[in-house]
C-alpha cells in the first residue's frame, strides 16, 4: 500500500545494509527525508510550472554493449522503456519528456521477447536512419568549418550556400573539392559520393572516418583540400576493414564469438543464392556457445550485422547491384533459400 518511493527507499536500505560495513543509518535517513521533504515536493511543482512554458527533453543514451542472453539486463532495459512510457503519459502536460535511445542490435529482441505490451509501451518509435542528403550536408558542413578554422585558402564562399538544399551543397561544396566521378577498384566509372556511401552502413561516424582517412592521404600527397579519384579509392580501401571490424565488435555481447562465426563467409562469392547459407552454417556450429547454433540463427546474425543483403535489382551492363539491408529497415530482413543475396561492399575485404 506504500508509495513507489517508499518501496525504493526500503530496497536501497537493504542494499546499503548488505554492502556497507559501517553504520549506514544516517545515509538512509537522509534518503528518507529527501523523498518526503516538503521543500522537494514544492520544488517539483515549481519546475512543472516552468516546463509547461519551456518544455524539457531528458535523453537516456544507450550502453556500449548489450547481451541478449543476460535476462536481468534485458528485463531492466524493458522496465526502463515501460517506466519512461508511463512517465511521459503522466508529465506530458507539464512539458517534461523522456526519450530512450536503444541500440539497433537489441531493439528487435526487446520488442519481440521482453517488453510486456509493445502497443502500450512502444509508441511511435523513431528509427535513426540517415538519408544520403542528410549525410552529405553533415560532411560538407564539418569540412567547411575545418577549412575556415584552419584558414585554408580556397575559392568558395559558404555565405552563398543554402544548407537546406541538397543540390546547392552537392554542387558548390562536394563536387568543388571531391572529384565528381572516380574510377573504382574494378575500373568502372561512378560518382564519388555514392562510392564512399556504399562502403558504409549510412552511419555518420563511418562516413566521417572514411573522409578523415581520405583527407590524411591528400595531406600526405600535398593536394589537400582537393581529392583525386586515386586518393578517394585508396582512402576507402585503407578504412573498410576497420569499419567492418567495428560493426562486428559492436555485436560481440549479442553474439559471442561473432568474429569466428562470420569467418565462415571468407572466400565465398560476392553474389549467391540464399540456400548457400545453409551449407555454410554448419561450419560455424562449434563457435556458438551454449548450444545456440542453428541455420536460422546464422542467417539472422549475418542479416543483423548488415553483412548480407537481399538483391532487388542487378544491372549486368553497369555491374550495379541494388539490395535491401536490415540496417535500413524497421523490421528483420528474412533471407529465404530462393533469394539472391549479396555481400555488403564494406565487408568484402574483411
Amino acid at each position: 500500500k506504500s508509495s513507489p518511493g517508499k518501496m525504493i527507499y526500503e530496497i536501497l536500505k537493504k542494499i546499503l545494509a548488505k554492502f556497507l560495513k559501517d553504520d549506514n543509518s544516517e545515509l538512509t535517513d537522509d534518503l528518507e527525508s529527501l523523498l518526503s521533504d516538503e521543500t522537494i515536493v514544492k520544488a517539483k511543482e515549481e519546475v512543472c510550472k516552468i516546463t509547461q512554458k519551456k518544455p524539457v527533453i531528458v535523453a537516456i543514451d544507450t550502453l556500449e554493449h548489450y547481451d541478449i542472453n543476460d535476462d536481468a539486463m534485458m528485463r531492466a532495459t524493458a522496465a526502463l522503456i515501460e517506466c519512461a512510457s508511463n512517465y511521459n503519459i503522466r508529465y506530458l502536460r507539464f512539458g517534461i519528456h523522456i526519450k530512450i535511445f536503444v541500440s539497433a542490435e537489441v531493439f528487435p529482441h526487446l520488442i519481440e521477447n521482453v517488453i510486456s505490451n509493445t502497443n502500450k509501451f512502444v509508441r511511435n518509435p523513431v528509427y535513426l536512419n540517415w538519408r544520403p542528403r542528410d549525410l552529405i550536408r553533415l560532411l560538407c558542413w564539418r569540412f567547411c568549418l575545418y577549412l575556415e578554422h584552419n584558414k585554408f585558402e580556397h575559392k568558395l564562399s559558404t555565405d552563398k550556400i543554402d544548407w537546406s538544399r541538397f543540390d546547392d551543397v552537392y554542387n558548390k561544396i562536394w563536387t568543388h573539392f571531391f572529384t565528381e566521378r572516380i574510377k573504382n577498384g574494378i575500373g568502372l566509372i561512378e560518382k564519388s559520393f555514392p562510392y564512399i556511401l556504399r562502403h558504409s552502413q549510412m552511419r555518420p561516424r563511418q562516413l566521417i572516418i572514411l573522409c578523415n582517412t581520405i583527407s590524411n592521404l591528400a595531406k600526405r600527397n600535398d593536394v589537400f583540400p582537393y581529392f583525386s579519384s586515386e586518393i578517394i579509392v585508396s582512402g576507402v580501401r585503407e578504412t573498410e576493414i576497420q569499419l567492418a571490424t567495428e560493426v562486428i565488435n559492436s555485436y560481440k555481447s549479442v553474439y559471442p564469438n561473432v568474429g569466428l562465426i562470420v569467418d565462415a563467409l571468407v572466400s565465398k562469392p560476392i553474389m549467391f543464392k540464399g540456400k548457400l547459407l545453409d551449407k555454410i552454417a554448419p561450419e560455424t556450429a562449434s563457435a556458438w556457445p551454449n548450444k545456440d547454433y542453428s541455420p536460422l540463427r546464422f542467417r539472422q546474425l549475418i542479416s543483423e550485422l548488415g553483412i548480407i543483403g537481399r538483391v532487388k535489382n542487378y544491372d549486368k551492363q553497369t555491374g550495379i547491384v541494388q539490395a535491401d539491408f536490415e540496417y535500413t529497415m524497421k523490421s528483420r530482413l528474412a533471407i529465404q533459400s530462393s533469394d539472391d543475396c549479396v555481400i555488403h561492399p564494406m565487408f568484402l575485404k574483411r
Side-chain angles (χ1 to χ4, degrees), residues 31-219:
L31 285 169
E32 185 171 25
S33 62
L34 183 66
L35 289 168
S36 57
D37 194 301
E38 189 178 341
T39 307
I40 297 295
V41 174
K42 288 182 178 179
K44 288 179 184 177
E45 293 173 357
E46 292 303 314
V47 166
C48 288
K49 290 176 184 177
I50 296 169
T51 55
Q52 277 183 313
K53 297 176 181 178
K54 295 182 178 180
V56 171
I57 295 175
V58 179
I60 300 180
D61 204 358
T62 63
L63 294 172
E64 284 297 322
H65 294 286
Y66 290 89
D67 181 0
I68 60 173
N69 296 311
D70 185 340
D71 190 52
M73 171 61 73
M74 290 297 100
R75 287 178 179 275
T77 307
L80 174 64
I81 293 169
E82 294 184 15
C83 178
S85 176
N86 290 332
Y87 187 98
N88 283 333
I89 292 171
R90 183 178 177 183
Y91 286 95
L92 178 66
R93 62 192 179 95
F94 296 112
I96 305 175
H97 311 269
I98 293 184
K99 303 296 180 186
I100 308 294
F101 288 82
V102 181
S103 171
E105 294 96 86
V106 299
F107 186 64
H109 176 76
L110 284 171
I111 59 176
E112 289 171 5
N113 302 302
V114 191
I115 293 174
S116 59
N117 187 329
T118 52
N119 288 330
K120 182 179 179 182
F121 297 115
V122 183
R123 295 186 304 275
N124 304 317
V126 176
Y127 293 83
L128 298 180
N129 293 332
W130 290 71
R131 299 175 303 169
R133 60 181 60 237
D134 299 323
L135 292 167
I136 201 169
R137 187 185 298 122
L138 171 69
L139 293 172
C140 290
W141 179 78
R142 286 172 60 96
F143 183 60
C144 287
L145 206 64
Y146 177 85
L147 295 180
E148 290 171 8
H149 181 75
N150 291 279
K151 297 180 172 57
F152 272 90
E153 292 185 8
H154 56 88
K155 299 175 182 178
L156 180 68
S157 174
T158 53
D159 296 335
K160 297 178 181 177
I161 296 167
D162 183 352
W163 290 97
S164 64
R165 294 186 63 228
F166 169 79
D167 292 341
D168 219 38
V169 176
Y170 181 77
N171 294 322
K172 292 180 180 178
I173 302 177
W174 186 268
T175 58
H176 183 78
F177 294 103
F178 289 78
T179 179
E180 185 176 13
R181 295 183 181 275
I182 56 101
K183 182 186 285 188
N184 65 26
I186 57 173
L188 295 175
I189 303 298
E190 63 175 303
K191 290 185 176 181
S192 59
F193 183 59
Y195 173 75
I196 294 173
L197 198 64
R198 67 183 174 83
H199 284 86
S200 75
Q201 291 185 332
M202 306 280 282
R203 295 173 181 174
R205 172 180 167 79
Q206 294 171 341
L207 270 296
I208 290 167
I209 291 172
L210 277 167
C211 289
N212 283 346
T213 304
I214 293 168
S215 297
N216 289 332
L217 284 174
K219 287 176 182 176

Side-chain angles (χ1 to χ4, degrees), residues 253-269:
S253 294
V254 181
Y255 296 108
N257 296 334
V258 61
L260 295 174
I261 294 168
V262 300
D263 280 348
L265 294 170
V266 172
S267 302
K268 300 303 184 287

